[in-house]
Amino acid sequence: MSASDDVLATAERWMEEGRSGALATVVETWGSAPRPAGSHLIVDGQGHFEGSVSGGCVEGAVIAEAAQVIETGEPRMLEFGVADETAWQVGLSCGGRIKVYLERLEP
């Protein structure tokens, strides 16, 4: 079982337990991206999470956006890259770029 399968199994279990959540999926990568397309991060309504979309570079921003997606139900497409002024803020210091699709999961 891959790490991605583990995250999806966790998402399924959380939904069976009646927990609301959001699933983040890496849908595209360019350059030196830390995680491949298809990587997942699941976040529940209390901010608990499992998985990774970037190895830690942008997880905080994705988790914050997930709270909005859980609340509104509207999916979002997020893009993260690196710019000189933001390299050590929210971005990928490795120089790559990723696109992450974030969608609400309902029990």
Side-chain angles (χ1 to χ4, degrees):
M1 180 180 282
S2 72
S4 184
D5 292 337
D6 291 342
V7 173
L8 295 177
T10 298
E12 182 176 11
R13 182 171 41 85
W14 286 3
M15 297 305 106
E16 290 172 355
E17 293 171 356
R19 295 162 73 174
S20 60
L23 180 67
T25 303
V26 176
V27 294
E28 288 184 39
T29 66
W30 295 269
S32 180
R35 302 278 295 152
S39 297
H40 297 288
L41 171 73
I42 179 79
V43 182
D44 75 3
Q46 285 73 49
H48 301 105
F49 67 95
E50 185 170 316
S52 174
V53 293
S54 72
C57 301
V58 300
E59 267 69 8
V62 172
I63 291 167
E65 292 284 338
Q68 294 298 313
V69 169
I70 292 168
E71 182 178 322
T72 66
E74 295 190 24
R76 295 182 183 188
M77 186 68 76
L78 310 173
E79 291 188 48
F80 299 97
V82 62
D84 290 342
E85 68 276 5
T86 61
W88 298 106
Q89 295 174 4
V90 175
L92 300 173
S93 57
C94 57
R97 291 188 301 142
I98 62 172
K99 188 179 283 188
V100 176
Y101 184 70
L102 191 55
E103 61 188 317
R104 182 167 72 181
L105 300 177
E106 297 183 45

